[in-house]
Amino acid sequence: MNMNRRFFASALALCLVIGVNAQWTVVNLHPAGATNSEAKAVSGGQQVGYATVGGVTRASLWSGTAASWVDLHPVGGTSSQALGMSGGQQVGAAIVGGINRASLWSGTAASWVSLHPAGAISTYAHGMSGGQQAGDATVGGIDRASLWSGTAASWVDLNPAVATHSYARGVSGGQQVGFARVGGVYRASLWSGTAASWVNLAPAGATNSEAKAVSGGQQVGHATVGGFTRASLWSGTAASWVDLHPAGPAYSYAYGVSGGQQVGFARVGGFNHASLWGGTAASWVDLHAFLPANFSESAANGVFRDGNGTSVVGWGLNTMTGRNEALMWVWTDPDNFALALNKTSVAGQNSVLGTVTMFETKPTNTLFTTYDNSSLVTTPPSVTVLAGQLSRSFQITTTAITSTVVTTIYAKRGTLVRSQPLTLTPLIPTAVVCTPNPVTGGQPTSCRVVINGVAGPGGRVISIFDNSPFSTTPSTVTVPAGATDVTFSITTLPVTSIKTVTVTARVSAGEKTGTFRINP
């Protein structure tokens, strides 16, 4: 059974899979008993959002299935939502004590932390990454784009001096995005941790623009240009604006970005359709097309792209139940593969076994290019996984070295590249063991020197020393080619008291000692 079929079978067993098309699978995350739900963000196999259960809107966490739903709603709260996530933590807002408070969780309701700073009237946290949280706080009667680092006391006011109000919606890589009201117009905005760092992303001619998410140096949101609201993409400046609005829909919005992909929705035929882009308007994918007919509209809020594929979260309106339901679209990359090494460290002149493993079998042979970044390593120019098989191994050889070097092994198929680090170490002695031990003076003993790999052509020459006038060792020994050790004899002299002898095996890159005792 190939990887896609195993994934689909698991999904069917664990949750309601409501649609499958090519590599796209749609999973309904709506928890049992909920009257409404929506997924807002996705990262590393988990999803966050909210669900209305028992008449209360509750911050929610999922791990890929409806049954995995975790209620994050804090004790004493009257309403809560989770809006962003990263590194096992979730952010959002909760109404506690009648006040809307920016909130941080670590996977449970009991882990709830209020980020609400002193003096604020209302606060929200919308996104998080790298230990930072972004949102907004109403302080002094002004809505202010805000940044936190895990505590209420860490609050930073990002509101630029030229703005009457501002809001932050996403954070990644030390950048924050949102929008600020300047000159009576909302302008898509970018910050780097301070109010003074504010950058106006509003494209020329825009009457309104907002940035909603940031990742990998890209920012997404929307801009109203020429009377139409258009899903938008930036790369740090207003001049970098890219119009993602596809031909046909009335208007469009973008809410999430990851790995060069953007998500949101486009208005098609009077209904919202969850949408995916790959950096251009022409790349638009109508994700709503993968839903069953009983879903009349949908929207995508978050996206997570990694080596395994793409996960998109949002909601769909189910006309059979009359409710919004949290949804996740999953696309498994059919060309995805993994690269593994059987060793992470190897001594020079020794070999390593590399293996490329595909996620699904192919009806024809699959060719991979393999290479490295060092003259000290040799890989084959290509590796072929045979039709009907999932993996193929290949040998990597190394040369003799005198100091430790870190190299990288690569495998490539199409535009996908996988890499693994490989540390090369010199061939050095790792053990010196003498037998018999003790030995009676005047009788011979032997010492065995072990090295950390197989000796290459010509063998490995090792210098030998001892510290006693009562023993005689050879000046050098050679570990034969293809061997990992060598044994040599030592002669001893009669002694009148016990003598301890230290034997040293040495190469330029290192040495090892052993001892034996001479008895009278």
Side-chain angles (χ1 to χ4, degrees), residues 13-37:
L14 294 172
C15 60
L16 177 62
V17 176
I18 59 176
V20 176
N21 189 298
Q23 269 65 51
W24 283 109
T25 302
V26 184
V27 181
N28 194 325
L29 296 176
H30 188 78
T35 56
N36 183 67
S37 64

Side-chain angles (χ1 to χ4, degrees), residues 61-404:
L61 173 67
W62 295 270
S63 298
T65 67
S68 68
W69 178 68
V70 175
D71 182 0
L72 297 179
H73 188 66
V75 174
T78 57
S79 179
S80 61
Q81 299 181 42
L83 304 173
M85 65 183 304
S86 176
Q89 291 187 311
Q90 306 82 39
V91 294
I95 298 177
V96 180
I99 297 174
N100 204 90
R101 304 171 185 271
S103 300
L104 177 66
W105 293 269
S106 298
T108 65
S111 67
W112 177 72
V113 173
S114 172
L115 298 177
H116 192 78
I121 297 173
S122 177
T123 53
Y124 287 82
H126 290 271
M128 72 171 297
S129 179
Q132 291 187 320
Q133 302 83 39
D136 47 79
T138 304
V139 179
I142 297 174
D143 295 333
R144 303 170 183 270
S146 299
L147 179 66
W148 293 268
S149 299
T151 65
S154 66
W155 176 67
V156 175
D157 181 1
L158 296 180
N159 191 56
V162 296
T164 55
H165 297 278
S166 59
Y167 308 85
R169 290 294 181 262
V171 57
S172 178
Q175 292 185 320
Q176 303 83 42
V177 295
F179 47 99
R181 190 169 181 83
V182 180
V185 176
Y186 281 119
R187 303 173 187 271
S189 300
L190 175 67
W191 295 268
S192 299
T194 65
S197 67
W198 178 70
V199 175
N200 181 5
L201 295 179
T207 56
N208 179 77
S209 60
E210 299 179 11
K212 298 292 190 178
V214 56
S215 178
Q218 290 189 323
Q219 304 85 39
V220 295
H222 61 268
T224 303
V225 179
F228 294 95
T229 300
R230 305 166 181 272
S232 299
L233 173 66
W234 295 269
S235 299
T237 65
S240 68
W241 179 66
V242 175
D243 182 2
L244 295 179
H245 186 67
Y251 53 83
S252 56
Y253 290 76
Y255 292 123
V257 59
S258 175
Q261 294 183 318
Q262 306 83 37
V263 296
F265 75 87
R267 190 75 169 177
V268 180
F271 296 95
N272 294 341
H273 282 206
S275 298
L276 172 77
W277 293 269
T280 65
S283 67
W284 177 61
V285 176
D286 184 356
L287 294 177
H288 186 82
F290 305 126
L291 297 178
N294 55 292
F295 282 84
S296 61
E297 60 180 331
S298 59
N301 295 319
V303 57
F304 180 73
R305 170 74 175 170
D306 63 9
N308 298 325
T310 299
S311 297
V312 178
V313 295
W315 60 271
L317 176 57
N318 189 338
T319 57
M320 293 179 62
T321 60
R323 65 196 181 196
N324 285 347
E325 297 176 350
L327 301 177
M328 178 168 65
W329 291 259
V330 179
W331 185 76
T332 303
D333 192 335
D335 291 332
N336 187 36
F337 70 95
L339 170 65
L341 305 180
N342 70 330
K343 301 175 185 177
T344 59
S345 178
V346 65
Q349 295 184 305
N350 283 252
S351 62
V352 176
L353 197 66
T355 303
V356 290
T357 302
M358 302 191 303
F359 280 36
E360 64 176 33
T361 59
K362 303 294 182 182
T364 58
N365 292 349
T366 304
L367 182 69
F368 294 84
T369 301
T370 52
Y371 55 100
D372 57 79
N373 68 342
S374 172
S375 60
L376 304 173
V377 177
T378 301
T379 57
S382 63
V383 174
T384 300
V385 177
L386 300 179
Q389 297 184 4
L390 284 174
S391 65
R392 183 70 178 268
S393 296
F394 59 97
Q395 190 173 61
I396 303 160
T397 60
T398 67
T399 61
I401 58 173
T402 57
S403 60
T404 299

